[in-house]
């Protein structure tokens, strides 16, 4: 592959590109969907393709093509150069790339059980076993969808700085949604797990555990009442503090969005939260869903501190934004696949541990909420965030009370970071799929964390 | 469009089906999709990137004894197609039978569509797209020096879908689309507004980049000096984007036949019942002229059609694909779509709305505002995807939004949340605008709904 990619790069340079990069992939994917104890479909497929990105006079050109045919890729590189030239006529501030070390590497993954070699029947039986556990939980469970996904194969990367990397890819992902119903009350609960390890992980994270978790989440909500809207103190569980780290803060600290005018634009080196707040974006946690060795610009992944003791100490960069900030790239450039260009994405983003126990944090709350499990979240550049919640409880006089449903909470990210007044000593990392025009598997987490005041958007 | 002719695509499909049926499959269906897109991206106030993407592939569904297998490839050679068909056959064998399986579609006549393909869009060069992007950008940047263009893009698509199955369906259709959009913020002192957007999305070359630039800038400026408001039950005027987000993640799910059959929908058993205000009439029109989701046939080769959903507040119909239609003993409404992560050819069908049309009222947007004594105008909902698709409950941030007092826009609203059930919102619709507009699956005017719970301070 190296020779073929090198020829494409040479050709791009001859056409006047100051930078050329080629990413090629050979990936295999299996998706299995079960709905209410039946296997709806088993999908298997091959995706070959390549993406070529060039820089001409400071403007980007990009061409992707679902093929690995050398002749077609030669056409693509001239296409990319033509595209870049068209854009370059209007460029006011030419893009430049931060220097990185030249790398030649082959990253192999050899899991105990490579999902590509696990028989389809075994995967199907795992889904059906989980489905049975879920329906056996309670007669109020009415429906359940389970989606299993594995991706394996190899990515190839080469650029005009003479970096060449072959990197195996491996993803396992299992999402479960359970619907429960009692009379007119409808509820849904979900659970998602994901790894960059082999299929053997399901021996410890068993279908029983996953199924029961999802089922209980939906059943709990049948008993739940709608909360009163308004501002309250809250203890935020690891899953939601992760979503907060990713959505409410993380996106603002992606350097492309920071430069696009996020509220962090002038905050580097400044205090943005209480002293006990520490947030990290980490691409090095073994087996976690957001972990990889090299990013899609050939930069090694690393552990990047974003907030230290309440102060912004770093942003997430690709080579272009790192150059703008006069700093080093952090290895956050990721592309979903050959169809997309690499952009700045988070990896595993989390609050680091503190020293408080859950009970201690509860004690001081007279009336508030324990927000445990999320359904989705979204942030805006002005720092307004919203996190939809599927599992939450009231806190009354220092004790956990009734479950509440249809909760979401919202606020301003920086104001909320200042209101963090206790950080737990536990830690958990969870899995999500983030959409920023393209999808990326991301990890997110942290400890139980207490916030003095958030806006709870409750029902009528 | 691309290198492949319609007959090439159909032949690839036939080839796949022949391999599968020869192996012993009871039935088989091939789906091919191609897409060619050109995009100009605006980043941080300047044109930064120009992209061209090309992807095509084939997916084949194979059924053996009512168990379904699927395989796909984006390598379109005879050898690869043969391997893909065999793989699909093996996955069907490995899977479990489904007693409700009712078979693929049979050949039917397709209606013609209007304004779904425009040669002019195919011919647009990347230089011309760069020019359109510049007009949009310059208009916004020169409007007011507090405006900052966060991002934007101009994108053209040419795409095709082909369905071939073992019952004799052989269908090919192609379409074009152009999307231009700009996202702005305004900054003044320490204040940053939320993202404000404006866009055109059309199937033919009919866009107004100057208007987009100006409106996106205007919105950002009018979002400055935002204030918190008191909580209460207020009248809410929903702009089409806000309405789309709300309906897409709640109501549209509740009328999908699979969700109804699987007891996930609050609208199960409600056909013929009044579920919305009498002002509300909705139909799903897969053949609408210039509709963003208009095709001659759906992703299973079933003709697209116009299906009544709500007539004067009464629920009339659910949306069906072949599988769910067979289960209910009715005809598919042509709502099978291949959508999700990845390209269409990688996916099996799901049910989705096409051009979900809320019929127009008679009031101008200005009159809608004039009629509101105490309320808000909402243009975007943050977090709509976290709504409960089953119960229709939502709890979202309205941003950007403006306070309406005594028939006039008073000021921008900061961080207000809306909470409630979509069915209550539809029941409390009190007025409809006459400003029809399309956004993804929705075609609608502005609507006014009474007594929506707003959580402010």
């Amino acid at each position: 592959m190296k020779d073929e990619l090198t020829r494409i790069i040479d050709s791009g340079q001859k056409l006047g590109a100051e930078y050329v990069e080629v990413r090629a992939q050979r990936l295999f994917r299996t998706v299995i969907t079960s709905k209410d104890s039946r296997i709806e479909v088993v999908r298997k497929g091959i995706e070959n393709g390549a993406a070529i990105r060039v820089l001409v006079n400071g403007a980007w050109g990009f061409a992707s093509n679902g093929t690995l045919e050398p002749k077609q890729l030669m056409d693509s590189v001239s296409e990319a150069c033509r595209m870049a030239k068209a854009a370059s006529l209007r460029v006011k501030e030419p893009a430049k790339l931060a220097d990185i070390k030249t790398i030649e590497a082959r990253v192999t993954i050899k899991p105990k059980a490579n999902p590509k070699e696990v028989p389809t029947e075994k995967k199907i039986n795992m889904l059906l076993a989980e489905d049975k556990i879920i329906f056996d939980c309670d007669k109020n469970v009415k429906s359940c969808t389970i989606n299993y996904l594995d991706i394996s194969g190899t990515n190839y990367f080469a650029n005009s700085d003479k970096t060449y990397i072959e990197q195996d890819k491996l993803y396992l992902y299992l999402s479960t949604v359970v619907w429960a119903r009692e009379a007119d009350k409808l509820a849904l609960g979900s659970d998602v797990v994901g790894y960059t390890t082999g299929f053997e992980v399901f021996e410890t994270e068993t279908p029983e555990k996953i199924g029961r978790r999802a089922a209980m989440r939906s059943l709990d909500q049948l008993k739940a009442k709608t909360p009163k809207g308004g501002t309250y103190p809250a203890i935020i569980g690891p899953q939601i503090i992760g979503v907060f780290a990713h959505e409410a803060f993380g996106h603002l600290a992606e350097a492309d969005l920071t430069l696009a005018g996020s509220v962090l634009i002038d905050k580097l080196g400044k205090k943005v939260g209480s002293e006990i707040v520490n947030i990290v974006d980490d691409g090095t946690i073994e087996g976690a869903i957001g972990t990889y060795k090299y990013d899609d610009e050939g930069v090694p992944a690393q552990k990047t501190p974003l907030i230290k003791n309440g102060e912004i100490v770093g942003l997430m960069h690709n080579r272009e934004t790192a150059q703008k900030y006069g700093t080093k790239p952090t290895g956050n450039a990721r592309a979903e696949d050959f169809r997309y260009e690499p952009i700045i994405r988070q990896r595993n983003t989390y609050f680091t541990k503190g020293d408080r126990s859950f009970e201690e944090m509860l004690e001081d709350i007279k009336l508030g909420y324990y927000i445990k499990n999320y359904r989705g979240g979204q942030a805006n550049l002005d720092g307004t965030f919203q996190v939809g919640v599927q599992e939450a409880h009231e806190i009354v006089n220092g004790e956990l009370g009734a479950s509440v449903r249809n909760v979401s909470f919202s606020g301003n990210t920086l104001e909320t970071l200042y209101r963090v007044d206790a950080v737990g000593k536990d830690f958990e990392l969870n899995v999500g799929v983030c959409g920023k025009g393209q999808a990326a598997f991301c990890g997110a987490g942290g400890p139980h964390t207490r916030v003095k005041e958030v806006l709870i958007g409750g029902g009528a | 469009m691309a290198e492949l002719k319609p007959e090439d695509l159909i032949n690839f499909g036939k080839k796949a089906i022949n391999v599968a049926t020869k192996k012993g499959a009871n039935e088989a269906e091939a789906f091919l999709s191609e897409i060619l897109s050109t995009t100009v991206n605006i980043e941080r106030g300047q044109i930064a990137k120009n992209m061209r993407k090309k992807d095509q592939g084939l997916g084949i569904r194979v059924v053996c004894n009512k168990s379904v297998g699927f395989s796909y490839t984006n390598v379109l050679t005879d050898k690869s197609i043969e391997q893909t068909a065999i793989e699909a056959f093996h996955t069907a064998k490995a899977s479990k039978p489904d007693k409700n399986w009712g078979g693929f579609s049979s050949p039917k006549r397709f209606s013609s569509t209007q304004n779904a393909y425009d040669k002019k869009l195919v011919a647009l060069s990347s230089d011309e797209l760069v020019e359109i992007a510049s007009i949009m950008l310059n208009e916004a940047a020169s409007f007011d020096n507090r405006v900052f263009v966060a991002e934007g893009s101009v994108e053209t698509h040419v795409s095709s879908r082909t369905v071939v199955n073992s019952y004799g369906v052989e269908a090919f259709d192609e379409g074009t689309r152009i999307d231009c959009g700009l996202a702005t913020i305004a900054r003044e002192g320490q204040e940053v507004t939320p993202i404000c957007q404006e866009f055109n999305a059309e199937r033919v070359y009919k866009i107004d980049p100057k208007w987009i630039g100006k409106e996106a800038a205007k919105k950002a400026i009018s979002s400055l000096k935002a204030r918190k408001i008191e909580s209460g039950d207020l009248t809410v005027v929903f702009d089409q984007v806000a309405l789309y987000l709300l309906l897409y993640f709640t109501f549209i799910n509740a009328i999908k036949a699979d969700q109804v059959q699987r007891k996930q929908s609050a609208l199960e058993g409600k056909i013929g019942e009044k579920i919305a205000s009498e002002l509300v009439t909705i139909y799903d029109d897969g053949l609408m002229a210039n509709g963003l989701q208009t095709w001659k046939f759906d992703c299973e080769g079933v003709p697209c059609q116009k299906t009544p959903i709500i007539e004067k507040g009464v629920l009339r119909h659910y949306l069906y694909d072949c599988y769910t239609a067979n289960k209910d003993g009715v005809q598919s409404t042509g709502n099978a779509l291949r959508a999700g992560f990845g390209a269409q050819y990688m996916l099996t069908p799901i049910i989705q709305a096409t051009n979900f049309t809320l019929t127009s009222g008679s009031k101008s947007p200005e009159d809608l505002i004039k009629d509101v004594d105490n309320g808000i105008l909402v243009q975007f909902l943050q977090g709509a995807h976290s709504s409960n698709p089953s119960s229709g409950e939502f709890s979202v941030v309205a941003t950007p939004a403006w306070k309406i007092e005594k028939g006039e826009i008073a000021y921008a609203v900061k961080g207000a949340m809306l909470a409630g059930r979509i069915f209550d919102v539809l029941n409390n619709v009190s007025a409809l605008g006459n400003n029809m507009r399309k956004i993804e699956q929705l075609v609608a005017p502005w609507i006014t709904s009474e007594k929506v719970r707003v959580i402010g301070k």
Side-chain angles (χ1 to χ4, degrees), chain B residues 421-433:
Chain B
R421 287 176 82 232
I422 186 64
F423 306 109
D424 297 329
V425 172
L426 292 176
N427 249 319
N428 295 335
V429 169
S430 59
L432 299 172

PDB file of all heavy atoms in Angstrom, chain B residues 421-433:
ATOM      1  N   ARG B 421     -45.805  17.839  26.542  1.00  0.00           N
ATOM      2  CA  ARG B 421     -46.033  16.702  25.649  1.00  0.00           C
ATOM      3  C   ARG B 421     -46.428  17.245  24.284  1.00  0.00           C
ATOM      4  O   ARG B 421     -47.226  18.164  24.189  1.00  0.00           O
ATOM      5  CB  ARG B 421     -47.163  15.821  26.169  1.00  0.00           C
ATOM      6  CG  ARG B 421     -46.811  15.000  27.388  1.00  0.00           C
ATOM      7  CD  ARG B 421     -48.046  14.247  27.880  1.00  0.00           C
ATOM      8  NE  ARG B 421     -48.282  13.021  27.122  1.00  0.00           N
ATOM      9  CZ  ARG B 421     -49.440  12.697  26.549  1.00  0.00           C
ATOM     10  NH1 ARG B 421     -50.465  13.516  26.597  1.00  0.00           N
ATOM     11  NH2 ARG B 421     -49.564  11.545  25.909  1.00  0.00           N
ATOM     12  N   ILE B 422     -45.920  16.616  23.230  1.00  0.00           N
ATOM     13  CA  ILE B 422     -46.210  17.081  21.884  1.00  0.00           C
ATOM     14  C   ILE B 422     -47.715  17.060  21.610  1.00  0.00           C
ATOM     15  O   ILE B 422     -48.249  17.928  20.912  1.00  0.00           O
ATOM     16  CB  ILE B 422     -45.452  16.244  20.820  1.00  0.00           C
ATOM     17  CG1 ILE B 422     -45.646  16.818  19.418  1.00  0.00           C
ATOM     18  CG2 ILE B 422     -45.869  14.794  20.812  1.00  0.00           C
ATOM     19  CD1 ILE B 422     -45.089  18.183  19.216  1.00  0.00           C
ATOM     20  N   PHE B 423     -48.425  16.091  22.207  1.00  0.00           N
ATOM     21  CA  PHE B 423     -49.852  15.977  21.930  1.00  0.00           C
ATOM     22  C   PHE B 423     -50.616  17.173  22.499  1.00  0.00           C
ATOM     23  O   PHE B 423     -51.592  17.627  21.921  1.00  0.00           O
ATOM     24  CB  PHE B 423     -50.386  14.646  22.467  1.00  0.00           C
ATOM     25  CG  PHE B 423     -49.580  13.483  21.932  1.00  0.00           C
ATOM     26  CD1 PHE B 423     -48.722  12.769  22.755  1.00  0.00           C
ATOM     27  CD2 PHE B 423     -49.642  13.165  20.582  1.00  0.00           C
ATOM     28  CE1 PHE B 423     -47.949  11.738  22.241  1.00  0.00           C
ATOM     29  CE2 PHE B 423     -48.871  12.126  20.061  1.00  0.00           C
ATOM     30  CZ  PHE B 423     -48.025  11.410  20.899  1.00  0.00           C
ATOM     31  N   ASP B 424     -50.132  17.707  23.629  1.00  0.00           N
ATOM     32  CA  ASP B 424     -50.751  18.916  24.176  1.00  0.00           C
ATOM     33  C   ASP B 424     -50.457  20.123  23.285  1.00  0.00           C
ATOM     34  O   ASP B 424     -51.323  20.969  23.068  1.00  0.00           O
ATOM     35  CB  ASP B 424     -50.248  19.174  25.604  1.00  0.00           C
ATOM     36  CG  ASP B 424     -50.652  18.043  26.542  1.00  0.00           C
ATOM     37  OD1 ASP B 424     -51.716  17.435  26.299  1.00  0.00           O
ATOM     38  OD2 ASP B 424     -49.899  17.747  27.492  1.00  0.00           O
ATOM     39  N   VAL B 425     -49.233  20.182  22.773  1.00  0.00           N
ATOM     40  CA  VAL B 425     -48.881  21.300  21.882  1.00  0.00           C
ATOM     41  C   VAL B 425     -49.793  21.288  20.657  1.00  0.00           C
ATOM     42  O   VAL B 425     -50.325  22.320  20.250  1.00  0.00           O
ATOM     43  CB  VAL B 425     -47.397  21.211  21.441  1.00  0.00           C
ATOM     44  CG1 VAL B 425     -47.083  22.254  20.363  1.00  0.00           C
ATOM     45  CG2 VAL B 425     -46.479  21.393  22.634  1.00  0.00           C
ATOM     46  N   LEU B 426     -50.016  20.104  20.077  1.00  0.00           N
ATOM     47  CA  LEU B 426     -50.859  20.018  18.877  1.00  0.00           C
ATOM     48  C   LEU B 426     -52.325  20.302  19.200  1.00  0.00           C
ATOM     49  O   LEU B 426     -53.062  20.865  18.394  1.00  0.00           O
ATOM     50  CB  LEU B 426     -50.711  18.642  18.219  1.00  0.00           C
ATOM     51  CG  LEU B 426     -49.345  18.355  17.594  1.00  0.00           C
ATOM     52  CD1 LEU B 426     -49.283  16.927  17.058  1.00  0.00           C
ATOM     53  CD2 LEU B 426     -49.023  19.343  16.474  1.00  0.00           C
ATOM     54  N   ASN B 427     -52.747  19.885  20.372  1.00  0.00           N
ATOM     55  CA  ASN B 427     -54.125  20.164  20.792  1.00  0.00           C
ATOM     56  C   ASN B 427     -54.392  21.638  21.011  1.00  0.00           C
ATOM     57  O   ASN B 427     -55.510  22.109  20.834  1.00  0.00           O
ATOM     58  CB  ASN B 427     -54.410  19.430  22.114  1.00  0.00           C
ATOM     59  CG  ASN B 427     -55.397  18.311  21.892  1.00  0.00           C
ATOM     60  OD1 ASN B 427     -56.376  18.486  21.151  1.00  0.00           O
ATOM     61  ND2 ASN B 427     -55.138  17.177  22.491  1.00  0.00           N
ATOM     62  N   ASN B 428     -53.348  22.348  21.436  1.00  0.00           N
ATOM     63  CA  ASN B 428     -53.522  23.757  21.784  1.00  0.00           C
ATOM     64  C   ASN B 428     -53.108  24.704  20.672  1.00  0.00           C
ATOM     65  O   ASN B 428     -52.890  25.884  20.910  1.00  0.00           O
ATOM     66  CB  ASN B 428     -52.728  24.069  23.055  1.00  0.00           C
ATOM     67  CG  ASN B 428     -53.268  23.306  24.250  1.00  0.00           C
ATOM     68  OD1 ASN B 428     -54.448  22.937  24.267  1.00  0.00           O
ATOM     69  ND2 ASN B 428     -52.431  23.044  25.236  1.00  0.00           N
ATOM     70  N   VAL B 429     -52.999  24.190  19.439  1.00  0.00           N
ATOM     71  CA  VAL B 429     -52.671  25.078  18.321  1.00  0.00           C
ATOM     72  C   VAL B 429     -53.832  26.053  18.127  1.00  0.00           C
ATOM     73  O   VAL B 429     -54.982  25.644  18.029  1.00  0.00           O
ATOM     74  CB  VAL B 429     -52.422  24.276  17.019  1.00  0.00           C
ATOM     75  CG1 VAL B 429     -52.355  25.201  15.810  1.00  0.00           C
ATOM     76  CG2 VAL B 429     -51.134  23.466  17.140  1.00  0.00           C
ATOM     77  N   SER B 430     -53.513  27.347  18.099  1.00  0.00           N
ATOM     78  CA  SER B 430     -54.579  28.343  17.989  1.00  0.00           C
ATOM     79  C   SER B 430     -54.503  29.144  16.701  1.00  0.00           C
ATOM     80  O   SER B 430     -55.445  29.834  16.344  1.00  0.00           O
ATOM     81  CB  SER B 430     -54.513  29.295  19.182  1.00  0.00           C
ATOM     82  OG  SER B 430     -53.246  29.925  19.201  1.00  0.00           O
ATOM     83  N   ALA B 431     -53.396  29.068  15.988  1.00  0.00           N
ATOM     84  CA  ALA B 431     -53.285  29.813  14.722  1.00  0.00           C
ATOM     85  C   ALA B 431     -52.170  29.232  13.868  1.00  0.00           C
ATOM     86  O   ALA B 431     -51.193  28.679  14.385  1.00  0.00           O
ATOM     87  CB  ALA B 431     -52.997  31.284  15.011  1.00  0.00           C
ATOM     88  N   LEU B 432     -52.350  29.366  12.554  1.00  0.00           N
ATOM     89  CA  LEU B 432     -51.341  28.893  11.599  1.00  0.00           C
ATOM     90  C   LEU B 432     -50.953  30.037  10.679  1.00  0.00           C
ATOM     91  O   LEU B 432     -51.818  30.804  10.241  1.00  0.00           O
ATOM     92  CB  LEU B 432     -51.913  27.772  10.728  1.00  0.00           C
ATOM     93  CG  LEU B 432     -52.390  26.500  11.408  1.00  0.00           C
ATOM     94  CD1 LEU B 432     -53.089  25.605  10.398  1.00  0.00           C
ATOM     95  CD2 LEU B 432     -51.198  25.755  12.027  1.00  0.00           C
ATOM     96  N   GLY B 433     -49.690  30.137  10.368  1.00  0.00           N
ATOM     97  CA  GLY B 433     -49.237  31.164   9.438  1.00  0.00           C
ATOM     98  C   GLY B 433     -49.474  30.743   8.000  1.00  0.00           C
ATOM     99  O   GLY B 433     -49.935  29.627   7.725  1.00  0.00           O
TER     100      GLY B 433
END
